[in-house]
Amino acid sequence: MSDLVNKLYRNHSLIYKGLLFIFSTFLIVYLFPKTGKFKYNFERGKPWQSENLYAPFNFAIKKSNEEIAAEKKTISDHSTLFFAVDSAIENEVNDLFESQFKIAFSDSIPKLKRNILFKAGERIINELYALGVLSENYNFPENKTVVILEDRIEKHTAKFADLINQEEVSSMINRVLIEEKLSDYKTEFTSLFFDLIQPNLTYDKSFTEKVLNEDLNKIAYTRGSIEKETLIISKGEIVEGNKYQVLESLKSEYESQVWNASNYNWILFAYTLLVSLALLMLLLFLRKYRLEVFENNTKVTFIFFNIFLMVFITTLVVNYSSEYIYVVPICILPLIFKAFFDARLGLFAHVITVLLLGSIVPNSYEYMFLQIIAGIVTILTVSELYKRANLFISVGQITLIYIIAYFAFFVIHEGSVETLKWETFIWFILCGLATLFVQPLIYIYEKLFGLVSDVSLLELSDTNSKLLKELSNKAPGTFHHSLNVANLAESCANEVGANAMLIRVGALYHDIGKMKNPTYFIENQSTGINPHDELHSKESARIIIEHVILGIEIAKKYNLPDRVIDFIRTHHGTSMVYYFYIKEKELKPEVDRSEFMYPGPKPFSKETAILMMCDSVEAASKSLKDPTSTKIDTFVESIISKQIDEGQFLNANITFKEIQSIKKVLKHKLANIYHLRIEYPE
């Protein structure tokens, strides 16, 4: 049992990656469509490239979206409006008219005239309420058919223009009075009916919409059908008109038909195979070409998480409306991976992600072409992401590539630009703007996953930071030494293609442990008094060696990234404090070497190896007396050769050719520091 536990513990990293691989595969497959995919590709106006196609089953020919939209518009245009009438209002107005008429027209008017006036008033009321008076001014076409309902029972049918709104009441009164030749009484009648007339027609919106929806639901979405084994299209035939609609109907029917349990399981299995193959290729790439990333579970999790996130966001957008598919800023992915890792890994992961998305999005070939080209442009153009101008320029270039590629595909499909919807380009502009979100996203990822980007390294390289200011105050000599080492290391890194920004930051912080006991290090001894004169050799060696451990503690206290702490931990490797070792050996022959040896580890990257060389050369160069080019060359060769002989670079991925280039840079830089002239032969 204990052997099994030990074996599991030894392989826990691989087990974690296996579980991560399985979990990611199933999550992505869960987001994929669970139907079959039509195996033929076709485009309107292009020849049918496959073999003769016969109907695999009976299916109906679906109407095009344009046909359905036209039918819906026709039904809406000819729909009926329903108004509810309140008959009690007319009776109430008639009763009030009889009582108010006597008040409005005095008894001095002859009886015959009063009867004529009374009948004219009754005619006005009858004509006003023949259909009814609208409660408000509705903005409907005049030729719309109107049905007037009383208690939900049809009472009248008319045109909307026949209904009277409240603004037309006055003109109606005037017309009747003119016809009755009673214009002299216009003021009295207008005053009388101003208070009497009440609207009795109300628009029944809910009932109107209900009837309209019932009519719309009666629309047939198909026209005709195709029998099984019927020839649909022959090879070479142009896909257009009815042929195109039949093919679209077959594709839609094939992808939307109800699948039985067996088919459903096979589709899931096939999708799982495709997704697992894609993710496996990514893991194999990391295993072969990015071993340091592969061995770091946090970094592998970070890569898988970002791929899943892009698939998830794209799926949400496609499910909502595939029209907005190009708003999703896929190019954020290579930007993030390039910021934290390198361009090659960023491009490989981007291509894998786009291949996965090809099973989700419509027009998959067009989509994959655009996104892969955009990803390549992103990798090629974005350099020094921490510079804001570079990011804006690159986003502009990415957006331009999207627009050009989309325009080319549209012309190929349609054959002209007449039907091009220029507003589509807005989605690409929005995508470019969304890509700018990469900066805050990088900051969030740094905090969540403990990674370090060039943006953070730039901030750490500021010599006005709190920790470096403290170093310059407490140990000014060490601070000056660190600056010199940073300059040397940066030049060497540029020469051999290492991460110059990372190595510069590592050099600035590599000796911060000397702040605890600054006077015990010769570069800080400005008074000429050496405290080591009062100490035993072992004690002196312990204090010197201890600055590495103290540096790590200070770095963790100030939350420096692990990648920077690695430089503190490895800049002396497992070398010895030779001065005190020799001094101790002079006193007694048998000396324990481990007491004078740095704890390590040895440098395990190109950058940490470069820092060890630069640190040793810069520190020892202070002891050079009357330096010449020959002395400097011999001096650099001897120091680095000694480190090679001690095996300090065995764990670092650095070649002899690169070491030779570093030596050359160091010799040149030291010659410039000491202002040496070329030595001419005598």
Side-chain angles (χ1 to χ4, degrees):
M1 184 66 183
S2 61
D3 291 340
L4 177 62
V5 172
N6 290 334
K7 192 173 183 180
L8 290 174
Y9 178 77
R10 285 195 303 271
N11 296 287
H12 72 279
S13 181
L14 284 175
I15 294 170
Y16 174 82
K17 291 180 184 68
L19 293 174
L20 178 66
F21 171 77
I22 295 169
F23 183 66
S24 301
T25 299
F26 282 108
L27 273 181
I28 293 173
V29 170
Y30 176 78
L31 298 174
F32 276 21
K34 304 303 186 297
T35 60
K37 199 169 180 68
F38 195 56
K39 65 178 179 178
Y40 300 102
N41 290 318
F42 59 92
E43 297 175 18
R44 189 198 297 268
K46 297 290 189 303
W48 178 256
Q49 300 292 340
S50 304
E51 69 278 1
N52 294 352
L53 179 62
Y54 295 88
F57 43 74
N58 298 336
F59 67 94
I61 303 172
K62 294 188 176 182
K63 295 178 182 176
S64 66
N65 293 333
E66 292 78 12
E67 290 176 307
I68 294 170
E71 286 189 35
K72 287 183 176 180
K73 187 176 186 303
T74 301
I75 291 173
S76 297
D77 291 343
H78 294 86
S79 62
T80 302
L81 302 174
F82 292 88
F83 285 82
V85 64
D86 187 352
S87 300
I89 290 177
E90 184 180 356
N91 297 330
E92 185 181 334
V93 170
N94 280 315
D95 293 341
L96 286 171
F97 172 70
E98 291 183 12
S99 61
Q100 294 297 320
F101 180 81
K102 296 175 182 178
I103 299 171
F105 296 93
S106 64
D107 293 338
S108 60
I109 300 173
K111 186 175 181 181
L112 181 60
K113 191 71 173 178
R114 283 171 61 86
N115 287 338
I116 293 172
L117 291 171
F118 185 81
K119 287 183 178 180
E122 286 183 326
R123 179 187 169 187
I124 290 171
I125 293 172
N126 289 335
E127 289 196 17
L128 285 173
Y129 289 104
L131 294 174
V133 179
L134 295 168
S135 60
E136 59 180 276
N137 294 332
Y138 297 99
N139 187 23
F140 294 120
E142 292 187 351
N143 63 342
K144 271 278 193 181
T145 301
V146 171
V147 172
I148 297 171
L149 304 173
E150 184 175 3
D151 297 328
R152 294 285 173 154
I153 299 173
E154 184 177 332
K155 185 178 181 182
H156 299 291
T157 300
K159 295 295 182 182
F160 181 72
D162 298 333
L163 305 183
I164 298 172
N165 61 48
Q166 296 180 55
E167 293 177 353
E168 297 172 338
V169 171
S170 179
S171 61
M172 175 77 169
I173 294 171
N174 291 337
R175 181 176 60 78
V176 173
L177 292 177
I178 291 170
E179 291 176 359
E180 297 288 341
K181 298 179 181 179
L182 297 172
S183 300
D184 294 341
Y185 295 94
K186 176 183 176 182
T187 304
E188 288 83 352
F189 272 102
T190 302
S191 176
L192 172 62
F193 285 114
F194 181 80
D195 294 324
L196 286 181
I197 301 303
Q198 299 178 46
N200 67 335
L201 282 181
T202 306
Y203 174 53
D204 194 337
K205 183 178 179 182
S206 61
F207 191 73
T208 301
E209 290 181 349
K210 180 182 177 182
V211 173
L212 175 60
N213 288 332
E214 287 176 355
D215 292 339
L216 291 174
N217 290 334
K218 293 176 183 177
I219 292 176
Y221 286 82
T222 60
R223 48 174 176 81
S225 61
I226 301 293
E227 298 295 324
K228 185 178 180 181
E229 300 300 332
T230 302
L231 177 64
I232 295 175
I233 192 168
S234 303
K235 185 173 183 179
E237 194 174 349
I238 301 298
V239 179
E240 58 183 357
N242 190 58
K243 296 283 185 185
Y244 177 78
Q245 200 56 41
V246 171
L247 286 170
E248 281 289 338
S249 301
L250 176 59
K251 179 181 178 182
S252 177
E253 185 69 23
Y254 188 87
E255 293 182 350
S256 64
Q257 63 181 299
V258 179
W259 295 88
N260 58 39
S262 176
N263 286 342
Y264 181 81
N265 292 333
W266 275 111
I267 291 170
L268 279 182
F269 176 70
Y271 272 135
T272 303
L273 282 179
L274 290 178
V275 174
S276 59
L277 276 174
L279 296 181
L280 182 61
M281 293 305 103
L282 180 59
L283 282 176
L284 291 175
F285 171 84
L286 296 176
R287 177 70 180 81
K288 186 171 180 62
Y289 298 107
R290 297 294 180 271
L291 187 58
E292 71 281 3
V293 176
F294 180 81
E295 291 176 346
N296 189 318
N297 285 341
T298 302
K299 292 179 179 179
V300 176
T301 305
F302 173 74
I303 293 170
F304 275 62
F305 170 78
N306 276 277
I307 292 173
F308 169 75
L309 185 63
M310 281 302 165
V311 175
F312 176 70
I313 294 172
T314 305
T315 305
L316 289 181
V317 173
V318 170
N319 290 340
Y320 176 72
S321 175
S322 59
E323 179 185 2
Y324 306 118
I325 188 65
Y326 288 110
V327 178
V328 181
I330 300 295
C331 287
I332 277 185
L333 201 64
L335 279 175
I336 289 173
F337 289 157
K338 186 177 180 181
F340 288 115
F341 306 113
D342 61 84
R344 190 175 177 186
L345 192 155
L347 182 59
F348 193 90
H350 176 73
V351 171
I352 291 292
T353 306
V354 172
L355 291 176
L356 289 173
L357 293 176
S359 300
I360 299 174
V361 300
N363 300 323
S364 55
Y365 173 75
E366 175 184 323
Y367 177 85
M368 289 192 293
F369 184 91
L370 259 68
Q371 296 296 5
I372 290 175
I373 290 294
I376 292 171
V377 171
T378 303
I379 292 297
L380 294 178
T381 60
V382 179
S383 59
E384 298 178 322
L385 189 61
Y386 53 86
K387 294 182 180 178
R388 290 171 294 179
N390 287 359
L391 181 60
F392 279 99
I393 292 169
S394 297
V395 166
Q397 292 171 332
I398 294 164
T399 305
L400 183 62
I401 290 296
Y402 271 129
I403 291 173
I404 292 172
Y406 178 81
F407 176 80
F409 268 107
F410 185 88
V411 172
I412 290 170
H413 291 165
E414 302 297 329
S416 70
V417 296
E418 294 176 2
T419 57
L420 178 63
K421 295 180 180 178
W422 297 98
E423 60 269 20
T424 306
F425 295 144
I426 295 173
W427 308 136
F428 296 119
I429 296 171
L430 290 176
C431 178
L433 294 175
T435 305
L436 294 174
F437 185 67
V438 69
Q439 285 284 20
L441 194 60
I442 285 173
Y443 176 79
I444 293 169
Y445 280 149
E446 285 180 337
K447 299 304 177 185
L448 288 177
F449 290 91
L451 301 171
V452 185
S453 69
D454 285 351
V455 180
S456 293
L457 292 176
L458 182 66
E459 293 173 356
L460 290 171
S461 67
D462 182 10
T463 53
N464 287 317
S465 66
K466 184 178 179 181
L467 183 54
L468 291 181
K469 270 191 171 182
E470 186 179 351
L471 177 64
S472 66
N473 291 330
K474 291 184 177 179
T478 300
F479 178 72
H480 184 260
H481 159 72
S482 298
L483 286 175
N484 289 338
V485 173
N487 292 331
L488 289 173
E490 187 175 16
S491 298
C492 294
N494 288 326
E495 184 69 21
V496 298
N499 190 331
M501 180 66 73
L502 175 63
I503 200 169
R504 179 173 184 81
V505 173
L508 288 174
Y509 291 91
H510 79 284
D511 268 346
I512 55 174
K514 292 181 180 179
M515 285 194 298
K516 292 292 184 180
N517 299 297
T519 56
Y520 284 89
F521 300 89
I522 193 166
E523 66 266 23
N524 299 311
Q525 294 171 3
S526 56
T527 60
I529 300 173
N530 190 343
H532 288 288
D533 295 340
E534 307 297 325
L535 297 176
H536 191 273
S537 299
K538 287 184 180 180
E539 184 64 18
S540 295
R542 185 189 63 78
I543 293 172
I544 297 296
I545 292 170
E546 196 177 41
H547 86 273
V548 173
I549 306 300
L550 293 174
I552 295 170
E553 291 175 357
I554 294 170
K556 288 183 177 178
K557 178 183 175 183
Y558 280 83
N559 295 317
L560 292 185
D562 288 340
R563 291 179 74 187
V564 176
I565 295 175
D566 287 340
F567 288 93
I568 301 173
R569 187 181 288 116
T570 62
H571 73 278
H572 284 295
T574 56
S575 60
M576 293 183 64
V577 186
Y578 274 97
Y579 177 81
F580 294 109
Y581 173 71
I582 297 299
K583 191 175 178 182
E584 180 68 14
K585 207 169 184 181
E586 289 174 355
L587 298 176
K588 54 180 182 179
E590 296 296 327
V591 178
D592 185 0
R593 290 172 60 92
S594 63
E595 293 179 348
F596 296 87
M597 189 178 291
Y598 284 97
K602 296 176 180 179
F604 46 78
S605 68
K606 189 181 295 184
E607 287 78 13
T608 51
I610 292 172
L611 179 65
M612 172 182 269
M613 294 184 229
C614 295
D615 180 46
S616 301
V617 168
E618 201 286 331
S621 68
K622 298 295 189 292
S623 63
L624 279 175
K625 296 178 181 178
D626 301 324
T628 63
S629 294
T630 305
K631 282 185 178 179
I632 288 174
D633 290 355
T634 306
F635 165 77
V636 171
E637 289 286 347
S638 64
I639 288 179
I640 296 179
S641 296
K642 185 178 180 183
Q643 291 173 337
I644 294 172
D645 293 340
E646 291 177 350
Q648 298 295 340
F649 307 135
L650 290 178
N651 297 331
N653 57 336
I654 191 166
T655 64
F656 282 113
K657 184 178 180 181
E658 288 170 337
I659 292 174
Q660 286 300 117
S661 299
I662 291 166
K663 288 179 183 178
K664 185 177 178 181
V665 172
L666 290 174
K667 291 170 185 177
H668 178 70
K669 287 289 181 182
L670 287 177
N672 288 337
I673 290 171
Y674 289 108
H675 307 289
L676 297 180
R677 295 178 180 271
I678 297 173
E679 291 186 2
Y680 294 96
E682 296 179 1

